[in-house]
Amino acid sequence: MNTNNRLRIAIQKSGRLSKDCQSLLKQLGIKLNLREQRLIAHSTNMPIDVLRVRDDDIPGLVMDGVCDLGIVGENVLVETQAERQRNQQPSEVTKLAKLDFGYCRLALAWPQELGIQDKDWFNGKRIATTYPEILKQYLEKEQIEASVVMLTGSVEVAPRAGLADAICDLVSTGATLEANGLMQGDTILESNACLIQNANLNDDDKLSLINKLMPRLRGVKQAKESKYIMLHAPKARLDEICALLPGTGQPTLLALAGSEDYVALHMVSSETLFWETMEELKSLGANSILVMPIEKMME
Ligand SMILES: Nc1ncnc2c1ncn2[C@@H]1O[C@H](COP(=O)(O)OP(=O)(O)OP(=O)(O)O)[C@@H](O)[C@H]1O
Ligand SMILES: O=P(O)(O)OC[C@H]1O[C@H](OP(=O)(O)OP(=O)(O)O)[C@H](O)[C@@H]1O
Ligand SMILES: [Mg+2]
């Protein structure tokens, strides 16, 4: 258990999730002095320490209570949970939030020259993966008898190197599969980065700090999805203009200096304004249409 009285958060040191994790912590108002080589970064404005480690170690650190919180891909979380359950080690965590980065999917793939294949083709084949537990569960569910070859990296080259007939690996844009002449098959798991908490955390100070950070996290997410819209609208067509604006909130109307016929309209929208809608607004007589990002929100 982390008996230290500072909240300890584990994030990936360097890789696909590290930049997004660092900017999320910054958006939550946590000031950090991140020096490249340091394993631990101490926050200068909150009782928080950030541990920077390999992503594979994050679920275990949180499950064992070495860290109170962690940010990790669901793929690594599910794999670690399955492995720990098999070894009868603690595997429980509380999932606090699904985050809007690190999206990827765990999918099957095989050499393109073999063409489209159905599930039966995998019987008797060797499949290379970094996620043996998730793959084995899938094979069992689908009643496929294939052998699993564990590789910690460069999984995509396994078929060409003669190590396996197919692979089960992470895909995002599909560029890596294409570059290696592989064809994508079934998706086994869809994954995003997520925020996890030690399931037995009972330190009141830490829990109240987490309760302070969670509304901020929701505010960051909401702000990212929202836009501040400003435009000048002819009074005579206000109803038609409001009907085109996305979101359910009521707009603010302000008098425009020197104009009897126009008002300034401001609103927070839960979505962006598409070019097509802006063109329709313009055709209704609106002008000076501005769509602006929102940095923070609290309702
Ligand atoms: N192409 C991708 N696009 C978006 N997210 C991805 C992509 N590939 C992986 N991820 C997510 O980011 C996580 C970290 O990926 P990365 O490739 O940096 O891991 P790694 O090489 O295992 O790093 P480490 O050195 O920390 O073990 C993955 O577990 C997954 O959740
Ligand atoms: O579908 P794509 O957009 O091509 O992304 C998929 C690739 O991204 C990840 O690797 P990464 O590039 O992070 O490097 P790594 O394998 O060295 O971790 C993943 O392991 C795939 O290889
Ligand atoms: Mg890793």
Side-chain angles (χ1 to χ4, degrees), residues 12 14 53-57 76 130-131 152:
Q12 190 186 23
S14 78
V53 293
R54 290 212 44 195
D55 71 339
D56 315 62
D57 296 332
V76 176
T130 312
Y131 302 89
T152 53

Side-chain angles (χ1 to χ4, degrees), residues 77-97:
L77 176 63
V78 174
E79 179 69 21
T80 311
Q81 267 175 327
E83 190 189 332
R84 284 185 153 236
Q85 272 159 17
R86 194 167 40 75
N87 296 331
Q88 297 181 334
Q89 287 172 295
S91 63
E92 241 188 288
V93 289
T94 308
K95 207 166 177 180
L96 294 180

Side-chain angles (χ1 to χ4, degrees), residues 48-284:
I48 293 177
D49 292 337
V50 173
L51 212 70
R52 296 192 301 157
V53 293
R54 290 212 44 195
D55 71 339
D56 315 62
D57 296 332
I58 295 173
L61 288 169
V62 175
M63 288 163 188
D64 292 337
V66 177
C67 291
D68 308 299
L69 298 180
I71 300 177
V72 70
E74 284 164 321
N75 51 321
V76 176
L77 176 63
V78 174
E79 179 69 21
T80 311
Q81 267 175 327
E83 190 189 332
R84 284 185 153 236
Q85 272 159 17
R86 194 167 40 75
N87 296 331
Q88 297 181 334
Q89 287 172 295
S91 63
E92 241 188 288
V93 289
T94 308
K95 207 166 177 180
L96 294 180
K98 196 176 170 112
L99 305 170
D100 58 1
F101 56 84
Y103 171 74
C104 55
R105 51 198 186 275
L106 190 61
L108 290 166
W110 55 86
Q112 212 144 27
E113 62 268 20
L114 299 177
I116 296 171
Q117 299 292 348
D118 61 13
K119 285 183 186 139
D120 284 343
W121 176 81
F122 286 96
N123 279 304
K125 299 285 191 297
R126 294 162 305 160
I127 312 175
T129 190
T130 312
Y131 302 89
E133 300 288 341
I134 300 176
L135 177 57
K136 279 181 199 160
Q137 282 179 2
Y138 168 85
L139 294 174
E140 209 165 288
K141 193 180 90 212
E142 298 294 331
Q143 298 181 311
I144 299 168
E145 301 241 353
S147 54
V148 174
V149 179
M150 167 68 181
L151 288 180
T152 53
S154 307
V155 175
E156 288 96 345
V157 301
R160 222 179 329 131
L163 292 173
D165 304 294
I167 66 163
C168 169
D169 199 16
L170 298 178
V171 184
S172 172
T173 61
T176 310
L177 289 187
E178 202 184 313
N180 288 284
L182 300 170
M183 172 180 268
Q184 194 188 317
D186 273 7
T187 291
I188 295 183
L189 181 95
E190 300 225 37
S191 176
N192 270 75
C194 63
L195 175 66
I196 53 173
Q197 181 193 303
N198 175 267
N200 305 313
L201 183 64
N202 57 13
D203 177 313
D204 288 342
D205 292 337
K206 288 181 180 177
L207 288 170
S208 74
L209 181 53
I210 293 170
N211 282 337
K212 189 182 165 80
L213 294 174
M214 288 311 287
R216 293 190 184 186
L217 182 72
R218 287 190 284 274
V220 168
K221 190 162 180 267
Q222 232 182 336
K224 254 190 220 159
E225 289 164 359
S226 305
K227 297 285 173 223
Y228 195 80
I229 299 171
M230 290 166 73
L231 53 87
H232 293 172
K235 282 182 186 165
R237 316 216 54 178
L238 259 180
D239 287 346
E240 290 163 271
I241 285 175
C242 288
L244 282 177
L245 294 170
T248 47
Q250 286 297 107
T252 305
L253 298 179
L254 301 158
L256 257 185
S259 172
E260 286 292 309
D261 308 328
Y262 276 75
V263 284
L265 183 155
H266 292 193
M267 76 175 285
V268 173
S269 159
S270 54
E271 41 192 292
T272 195
L273 205 56
F274 291 106
W275 282 114
E276 290 75 9
T277 315
M278 289 174 78
E279 284 151 8
E280 280 183 69
L281 289 167
K282 186 116 187 109
S283 70
L284 288 171

